[in-house]
Amino acid sequence: VIDAMYAAERYGQKNGKGLYQYDEKRNLSRDPAAEEMIQKIWKNLGVTQKTMTEEEIVDALYLPVVNEGFKCLEEGMAIRPSDIDVCLHFGYNWPRYRGGPMQWSTAVGLPTILAKVEKMGLKPSALLKECVEKGWKLNSPDFQKRVAQAWSGRWSKL
C-alpha cells in the first residue's frame, strides 16, 4: 500500500495527501481516493478486511513480544523480567500504563498467555511453558533461580 501511495505521489503532510487528506494546518481527514486505492490493492492481493476486538488487537501485538521476552530470559540475554520491561518501555515506547510486556503477562496470567500464544500458531518459549507447568510466577524464587542459571551459563563463557 505504501509503495502504491508513493507511486501516486501521495506523500502525506508534505503535499496534503497520503493515507489521509491534510488541510493547510495539517489537520487530517478521511480521503475517499486513498481508501479506494487501498481497497483495490487489497482486492488484487486477496486480502479481506477483518473486524477485531480491542483484546484481539492487543494480543496480536503483545503476545509475540512477551514470548520473545521469555526467550531472552531462557537464553540468558536478560537476567530479570523487569530488564525487558524497561528496555521495551524506553526503547520501543511500550505503553507506560501496561507496565511492560512481562508485567502485562503477569497481569493476564501465564497460563492464559501460553494458551493464546499457542492459539496464534507461535512456538512458545520453553521457559514460558516451564513456568506454566511448574506454576511459577515471575517473582517466584524458583523462576529467579532458573533465569539466573541461564544468565550465568551464557555470560560466564565470554
Side-chain angles (χ1 to χ4, degrees), residues 12-94:
Q13 291 181 4
K14 185 181 232 177
N15 68 347
K17 58 185 180 177
L19 297 171
Y20 301 97
Q21 295 180 72
Y22 299 91
D23 65 18
E24 61 282 345
K25 293 184 180 180
R26 294 188 175 186
N27 296 314
L28 65 89
S29 60
R30 292 179 71 159
D31 186 345
E35 291 175 6
E36 184 179 323
M37 260 180 96
I38 292 167
Q39 292 296 330
K40 183 178 178 183
I41 293 165
W42 284 352
K43 183 179 179 186
N44 291 341
L45 294 173
V47 174
T48 55
Q49 281 186 295
K50 177 181 174 182
T51 302
M52 297 175 75
T53 65
E54 182 179 340
E55 181 181 358
E56 290 171 325
I57 294 168
V58 169
D59 286 351
L61 295 172
Y62 289 13
L63 290 170
V65 177
V66 169
N67 196 43
E68 288 301 317
F70 273 95
K71 287 180 182 179
C72 287
L73 290 167
E74 85 183 42
E75 294 170 4
M77 299 304 295
I79 194 167
R80 290 176 294 275
S82 61
D83 295 340
I84 294 165
D85 288 343
V86 168
C87 176
L88 270 286
H89 174 71
F90 289 109
Y92 295 92
N93 203 23
W94 184 274

Side-chain angles (χ1 to χ4, degrees), residues 107-128:
V108 171
L110 298 184
T112 301
I113 296 292
L114 177 60
K116 288 182 173 191
V117 164
E118 290 174 334
K119 185 178 178 185
M120 285 181 76
L122 298 173
K123 181 181 179 192
S125 156
L127 181 59
L128 174 58

